[in-house]
Amino acid sequence: QVQLQESGPGLVKPSETLSLTCTVSGGSISNYYWSWIRQPPGKGLEWIGYMYYSGATNYNPSLKSRVTMSVDKSKNQFSLKLSSVTAADTAIYYCAREVLSGPNYDTRNYAFDFWGQGTMVTVSS
Amino acid sequence: QSALTQPASVSGSPGQSIAISCTGTSSDVGGYNYVSWYQQHPGKAPKLMIYEVSNRPSGVPDRFSGSKSGNTASLTISGLQAEDEADYYCSSYTSSTTLVVFGGGTKLTVL
């Protein structure tokens, strides 16, 4: 069973960079699309962006200027960096795997079947 | 304001059926069969319940079903159980540069 685990600082100062890592266990990071999704306290979900195992990325335009995602296949990990954070970036951050279907399991569905437990990041001085 | 519109709350008694709607546009829900639904219990990560409008992942009870008509998708839960009380979110692929959009979420209360 695939498991995802987010890790990183729980407190970040305003204007600094938020850095999180997602470690994938029970399966390979290869051949899948991996996303970051966040949820402000008491609010809904927001897709931040995805990274393909090859390194290709696509970011939410609302965050694109501040987001960088990267992958480390040797460690089965992928990472998120969000720069110039403000209080509005306070949220639970989830990493998630995208569903692939079809006879070769290579058809994207833009749905997420495996999620990390989430990590709360607070932006405060 | 979320890209997809869901009712803030719905309720039902055990054994009853309820439906949660998710309204978008022809650029997302209406234009593609990439609608998914998630269940989220307090303090937990979302759980995928439906993908591609009506497909259930392995392990999801067949009490949960999905459908779509025009720009509105729906999640129907039949035979409501106490454990179904949770927040439910819809999501869709969008042809806009955002790629993936979510609804604002619906709180289901089992009376």
Side-chain angles (χ1 to χ4, degrees):
Chain A
Q1 180 81 332
V2 174
Q3 292 184 312
L4 288 71
Q5 178 69 57
E6 304 90 349
S7 59
L11 180 64
V12 182
K13 290 182 169 54
S15 81
E16 295 190 344
T17 296
L18 176 160
S19 296
L20 296 174
T21 296
C22 182
T23 301
V24 179
S25 59
S28 174
I29 203 168
S30 296
N31 302 314
Y32 282 95
Y33 294 82
W34 304 89
S35 278
W36 288 96
I37 296 162
R38 69 180 183 179
Q39 184 172 34
K43 296 187 178 180
L45 300 164
E46 179 183 31
W47 177 74
I48 299 171
Y50 80 72
M51 149 146 287
Y52 191 46
Y53 80 102
S54 64
T57 58
N58 190 310
Y59 305 141
N60 188 322
S62 68
L63 300 168
K64 187 174 183 177
S65 64
R66 300 193 290 129
V67 171
T68 303
M69 294 183 185
S70 59
V71 64
D72 186 336
K73 291 192 288 283
S74 67
K75 294 182 178 179
N76 234 30
Q77 294 177 334
F78 61 103
S79 300
L80 167 71
K81 291 187 185 299
L82 181 65
S83 64
S84 304
V85 298
T86 69
D89 295 310
T90 293
I92 299 172
Y93 285 76
Y94 296 100
C95 55
R97 192 187 80 169
E98 187 177 323
V99 175
L100 292 178
S101 61
N104 296 317
Y105 290 95
D106 57 359
T107 300
R108 300 188 68 180
N109 284 274
Y110 305 96
F112 308 100
D113 55 355
F114 289 99
W115 295 63
Q117 64 185 25
T119 187
M120 180 68 199
V121 179
T122 301
V123 178
S124 175
S125 56
Chain B
Q1 187 173 355
S2 302
L4 305 180
T5 301
Q6 298 181 234
S9 63
V10 299
S11 63
S13 299
Q16 287 186 332
S17 295
I18 63 95
I20 300 172
S21 62
C22 171
T23 301
T25 69
S26 58
S27 296
D28 39 63
V29 174
Y32 306 90
N33 288 326
Y34 292 130
V35 177
S36 52
W37 290 91
Y38 302 87
Q39 176 192 66
Q40 186 179 35
H41 286 111
K44 300 294 187 181
K47 175 186 176 182
L48 180 65
M49 305 303 283
I50 296 286
Y51 67 99
E52 285 184 319
V53 177
S54 60
N55 290 334
R56 276 188 310 276
S58 174
V60 173
D62 59 7
R63 302 185 294 105
F64 292 83
S65 62
S67 62
K68 188 183 82 167
S69 178
N71 294 337
T72 298
S74 296
L75 172 70
T76 299
I77 308 174
S78 58
L80 267 180
Q81 299 181 2
E83 66 209 51
D84 299 333
E85 185 164 292
D87 292 327
Y88 290 85
Y89 293 90
C90 64
S91 178
S92 174
Y93 167 82
T94 171
S95 58
S96 78
T97 52
T98 308
L99 196 69
V100 176
V101 289
F102 286 94
T106 298
K107 182 175 180 59
L108 168 63
T109 300
V110 180
L111 303 170

